[in-house]
Amino acid sequence: MTVFILYNQCYLHKLIIKYIYWLNTVVFLFNPLPCCILALTITTHHSRKFFSGKMGLFKAAGVVYKPVEEIDLGPDSNEFYLKANVKAPRMAGFLVKIFAWFLESRIIGTLLLYILKRNNLIHKLVSNATLEEAPMFVPLHPFVDLNEQEVEQIGSDASPAERVQRAMNCLPLTLEKSVDDSNSSSFRRWTIADYSRAYSSGEITPRKVAEQFINAVHESSRAALPMSFFINYDAEDILKQATESTLRYERGDPISALDGVPIAIKDEIDCSPYPTTGGTKWLHKVRPCTGDACCVMRLRSCGAIIVGKTNMHELGAGTSGINPHYGTTRNPYHPNKIAGGSSSGSAAVVSAGLCPAALGVDGGGSVRMPASLCGVIGFKPTFGRIPHTGVLPLNWTVGMVGILAGTLEDALIVYAAISGQLPSHEPTILPPKLLFPLLNSTNPISEIKFARYGEWFNDCSDEIRICCSNALHLLCEHYKWKTVEVTIPEIESMRLAHYLTIGSECTTSLSSALEKLDFAELGWDARVALRVYGAFNSKEYIKAQKMRNRQMQIHKNIFAKADVIVAPTTGVTAYSIFDDALKTGELDYINGAALVRYQISGNFLGLPAVTVPVGYDKEGLPIGLQFIGKPWSEPTLMHIAFAMQALCISHYRKPKVFCNLLHKN
């Protein structure tokens, strides 16, 4: 039985289904005596081959990577596209517990982890690989003047409120339009500009909006399928902020266009008066929140109403947003589907109309992925662009504060508020000036070239492939922009190197707390994730950073051919939530790999990226198209995203769960 577990690539669900006496196996595995006798009792032909190395247990040769200058990045390159080699079944409920127990056992766990790493090609592509590049530990990019078109320059020392005003001046004039509850073809979400106009005209007050917000959140938690938008929100604190904002409008003295606008914060970012849980039941006890993160302080200084801490996947260690402690955040377009993770709550509150924008943290697509699944804008700036002070240090070199918004215009406004000079202890590599895109320009930017890697672009569901291909064709046809076919090599190697990096940094940052932690306080899926993360060693981490340097060079060469890389945002749309996962979480690495497939370069290489809703699948679930830019090219990305949004916005659909906060009755 023990041999079967190892030999069958850890497909524990097959073991449990096939063998009625699985309990005996569990007892056997956790009994120290049989574990010690294991090597003496294995006699089958296959097991002898397995442990002798003929089937590869102790034979894990690594790839020898050719020099970057020898790689052909053209469309006819002989570089092989390797699809994600994920070999793991979906597990939830009792199966997750069994698997966690296996991994946490000293001897069997070590063997299982070795096999998991080997069978998912970590040994071959990263651990034992030969790379000539030096390691690059932080993806800091030197400033290069990109000569971006149609931009406005703003001094980096301008106050957040001043930056917001300058951003407002960059927006096009829009016709006032109500959210139509009966005609889905005319649906649009209220924007920050809508809130500002309604407050200034006296049609509604921030206090009234706050009351409606509190009622809506309360109702959403009492629904047949609780939406679980928030981990924490304080009605009294929200009403206090809203009352102060209402008085400022009555005096005719609002701070900025953000004054009185509800903004939600992912529970990975410090925000008084709330604890910062990271989606756990214990982290806030060992790391108390002592004040606002820098990005939150800047939003407050603009008058925004901070409405609470949104739900998230525990420790950001998953893609579904299923949290066994605080409930599963559900997708407003279909409450039986996931919202995506880890910034699940932030995406869902924007999608459902509770906030025009929210903050998330993007360590592995954690902003862009749920934004795409929930049908909203997800924007991740260049690494180092937004202050990271006050954000949980779960992944130092891949995580970035990002923005989820109903429209690109709202993403720009929030970006204006939270960007700017960095605190003195953070790397000071920012460009000398902030550049905002002139979205109100009558001269669209010209001669944009999109790099498209066909095999990678098409490695998704048919509905996503067709929808994204049509959207890209429409964009290029309308603006006379071009697509350049390229090859982006070693994408799967980069994904594994990123996974190794984010896992190593997470366990290192939590090491002191984990040594004292009762693992019963962790969700079962988080226990599995942390056990896998902890299996990476220093040699593997260094190899991953060598891969980072290598991919930085490769992408620099790609950007010599084109301005932007284009791809779907996710490989699948939102999938179903099953009851067996609600209390334990789930392990669904096949769907997980499909969700992160197009995310990695934004995090591992620190590149800016944005996702835009471009359509829906047959179930009415949103599909996003992603644009990945050169370092510091946020204005160009926003121009492109705005252009894409303009072509698609008339077809946007209203979610099944939606709240109209500017409704006066």
Side-chain angles (χ1 to χ4, degrees):
M1 296 284 279
T2 306
V3 173
F4 182 84
I5 294 172
L6 300 177
Y7 182 65
N8 201 34
Q9 299 177 350
C10 304
Y11 280 12
L12 299 180
H13 72 312
K14 293 182 181 178
L15 174 67
I16 294 169
I17 293 171
K18 185 174 181 180
Y19 291 90
I20 299 174
Y21 299 106
W22 56 266
L23 183 57
N24 292 331
T25 304
V26 176
V27 173
F28 173 81
L29 288 174
F30 282 90
N31 187 323
L33 181 58
C35 288
C36 294
I37 299 174
L38 179 63
L40 300 176
T41 57
I42 297 170
T43 57
T44 68
H45 173 67
H46 284 303
S47 63
R48 284 197 301 270
K49 288 172 65 181
F50 189 79
F51 280 93
S52 68
K54 294 178 182 178
M55 296 187 66
L57 178 60
F58 298 113
K59 182 182 179 182
V63 169
V64 178
Y65 291 99
K66 68 174 71 171
V68 170
E69 56 268 21
E70 295 180 13
I71 299 175
D72 180 3
L73 301 178
D76 299 320
S77 171
N78 59 5
E79 293 292 324
F80 179 70
Y81 176 66
L82 179 63
K83 294 189 176 184
N85 189 51
V86 179
K87 294 184 177 180
R90 178 190 179 273
M91 298 184 196
F94 194 56
L95 286 177
V96 174
K97 296 182 181 182
I98 293 277
F99 193 47
W101 289 333
F102 284 158
L103 288 179
E104 290 167 1
S105 68
R106 210 170 268 184
I107 297 176
I108 298 301
T110 301
L111 291 172
L112 289 176
L113 287 165
Y114 184 93
I115 304 242
L116 283 171
K117 289 162 67 176
R118 187 204 63 175
N119 286 344
N120 289 288
L121 298 185
I122 290 176
H123 289 161
K124 180 177 181 180
L125 299 181
V126 183
S127 309
N128 299 330
T130 300
L131 305 90
E132 66 178 25
E133 290 78 16
M136 175 177 285
F137 295 100
V138 182
L140 294 176
H141 296 277
F143 172 65
V144 176
D145 189 352
L146 300 173
N147 295 316
E148 292 181 281
Q149 307 171 49
E150 300 297 326
V151 296
E152 167 136 347
Q153 290 191 3
I154 296 95
S156 58
D157 58 346
S159 71
E162 290 171 334
R163 294 196 297 270
V164 165
Q165 184 55 53
R166 296 290 289 275
M168 292 293 293
N169 294 339
C170 295
L171 303 185
L173 295 174
T174 56
L175 296 175
E176 295 190 26
K177 180 180 177 182
S178 298
V179 175
D180 190 332
D181 291 343
S182 60
N183 186 357
S184 62
S185 65
S186 65
F187 169 75
R188 74 170 180 87
R189 294 176 175 84
W190 293 119
T191 67
I192 291 169
D194 291 326
Y195 279 90
S196 182
R197 281 194 293 267
Y199 294 156
S200 297
S201 67
E203 293 179 27
I204 198 167
T205 66
R207 171 83 188 197
K208 180 63 176 177
V209 166
E211 291 171 352
Q212 295 186 160
F213 169 87
I214 293 166
N215 290 337
V217 174
H218 182 65
E219 287 300 314
S220 74
S221 65
R222 297 173 57 193
L225 293 174
M227 297 300 290
S228 301
F229 290 130
F230 288 90
I231 287 177
N232 238 320
Y233 73 99
D234 185 324
E236 184 177 341
D237 180 70
I238 295 168
L239 291 173
K240 178 176 179 293
Q241 295 177 71
T243 299
E244 292 171 352
S245 178
T246 299
L247 292 174
R248 289 194 292 271
Y249 276 101
E250 289 176 352
R251 295 194 301 266
D253 190 29
I255 299 172
S256 76
L258 277 171
D259 205 336
V261 176
I263 303 288
I265 310 296
K266 183 182 182 182
D267 205 3
E268 194 175 335
I269 303 171
D270 287 343
C271 175
S272 296
Y274 307 104
T276 303
T277 73
T280 75
K281 283 291 191 179
W282 57 272
L283 189 52
H284 58 286
K285 300 173 186 176
V286 298
R287 184 198 173 274
C289 174
T290 57
D292 288 335
C294 184
C295 53
V296 174
M297 282 192 288
R298 291 178 177 181
L299 288 171
R300 285 196 198 275
S301 72
C302 295
I305 299 176
I306 307 301
V307 294
K309 305 295 287 297
T310 54
N311 203 352
M312 61 177 285
H313 205 108
E314 186 173 7
L315 292 174
T319 57
S320 67
I322 295 173
N323 188 308
H325 309 300
Y326 300 105
T328 296
T329 302
R330 296 176 180 274
N331 195 314
Y333 278 91
H334 196 316
N336 281 316
K337 305 289 185 178
I338 64 165
S342 62
S343 304
S344 48
S346 290
V349 295
V350 173
S351 179
L354 289 169
C355 300
L359 295 188
V361 179
D362 195 313
S366 292
V367 163
R368 293 160 287 149
M369 185 195 317
S372 177
L373 298 185
C374 292
V376 298
I377 297 288
F379 178 63
K380 176 213 164 294
T382 305
F383 182 85
R385 173 71 86 175
I386 305 297
H388 212 64
T389 304
V391 180
L392 285 179
L394 297 179
N395 34 71
W396 304 286
T397 73
V398 295
M400 271 294 296
V401 173
I403 301 161
L404 301 106
T407 64
L408 192 281
E409 299 95 310
D410 286 350
L412 170 58
I413 293 168
V414 174
Y415 169 71
I418 66 176
S419 55
Q421 290 183 331
L422 299 181
S424 58
H425 64 275
E426 295 195 28
T428 54
I429 58 169
L430 287 180
K433 295 281 187 179
L434 277 172
L435 300 178
F436 292 165
L438 289 170
L439 302 180
N440 56 8
S441 173
T442 56
N443 301 314
I445 58 176
S446 59
E447 299 181 358
I448 291 295
K449 292 181 180 178
F450 297 105
R452 178 186 179 276
Y453 180 23
E455 288 190 79
W456 183 49
F457 191 103
N458 295 330
D459 189 12
C460 55
S461 71
D462 287 343
E463 289 179 288
I464 291 176
R465 175 181 54 80
I466 294 168
C467 179
C468 289
S469 295
N470 290 342
L472 178 60
H473 175 75
L474 179 65
L475 185 64
C476 290
E477 185 177 54
H478 191 275
Y479 291 98
K480 310 305 179 188
W481 293 339
K482 297 178 180 178
T483 300
V484 178
E485 295 295 330
V486 299
T487 296
I488 306 176
E490 303 160 20
I491 288 176
E492 178 64 1
S493 300
M494 180 170 60
R495 183 185 76 83
L496 294 174
H498 168 269
Y499 181 71
L500 198 156
T501 300
I502 195 172
S504 299
E505 292 181 358
C506 180
T507 50
T508 300
S509 70
L510 298 173
S511 58
S512 298
L514 292 175
E515 288 174 2
K516 306 171 186 176
L517 182 67
D518 178 0
F519 267 43
E521 293 194 63
L522 284 165
W524 288 94
D525 62 333
R527 285 173 67 166
V528 170
L530 289 174
R531 187 69 182 94
V532 175
Y533 290 171
F536 299 129
N537 58 45
S538 58
K539 182 191 81 169
E540 292 171 324
Y541 185 79
I542 297 292
K543 288 287 182 72
Q545 307 325 300
K546 289 165 77 73
M547 178 61 69
R548 189 192 322 240
N549 188 354
R550 179 178 178 82
Q551 281 292 330
M552 291 277 261
Q553 296 177 47
I554 289 171
H555 277 70
K556 183 178 179 180
N557 293 339
I558 293 287
F559 285 127
K561 298 172 176 284
D563 303 287
V564 173
I565 297 170
V566 62
T569 310
T570 62
V572 293
T573 52
Y575 58 85
S576 296
I577 298 167
F578 295 101
D579 289 344
D580 61 352
L582 298 180
K583 294 183 179 179
T584 62
E586 69 176 3
L587 306 177
D588 189 346
Y589 291 122
I590 293 175
N591 271 323
L595 289 175
V596 305
R597 179 161 299 139
Y598 304 102
Q599 312 293 327
I600 301 306
S601 61
N603 299 106
F604 197 47
L605 309 182
L607 302 175
V610 60
T611 178
V612 182
V614 293
Y616 304 86
D617 70 5
K618 62 185 178 184
E619 292 188 80
L621 294 165
I623 294 170
L625 183 65
Q626 180 179 207
F627 304 99
I628 304 165
K630 301 175 182 178
W632 313 115
S633 67
E634 286 87 352
T636 295
L637 277 183
M638 287 188 175
H639 269 299
I640 294 169
F642 181 71
M644 187 77 264
Q645 174 186 273
L647 295 175
C648 298
I649 197 167
S650 63
H651 302 291
Y652 286 175
R653 302 177 188 175
K654 182 180 176 183
K656 293 179 180 178
V657 176
F658 184 79
C659 180
N660 180 355
L661 290 186
L662 291 186
H663 183 60
K664 286 176 280 188
N665 296 324

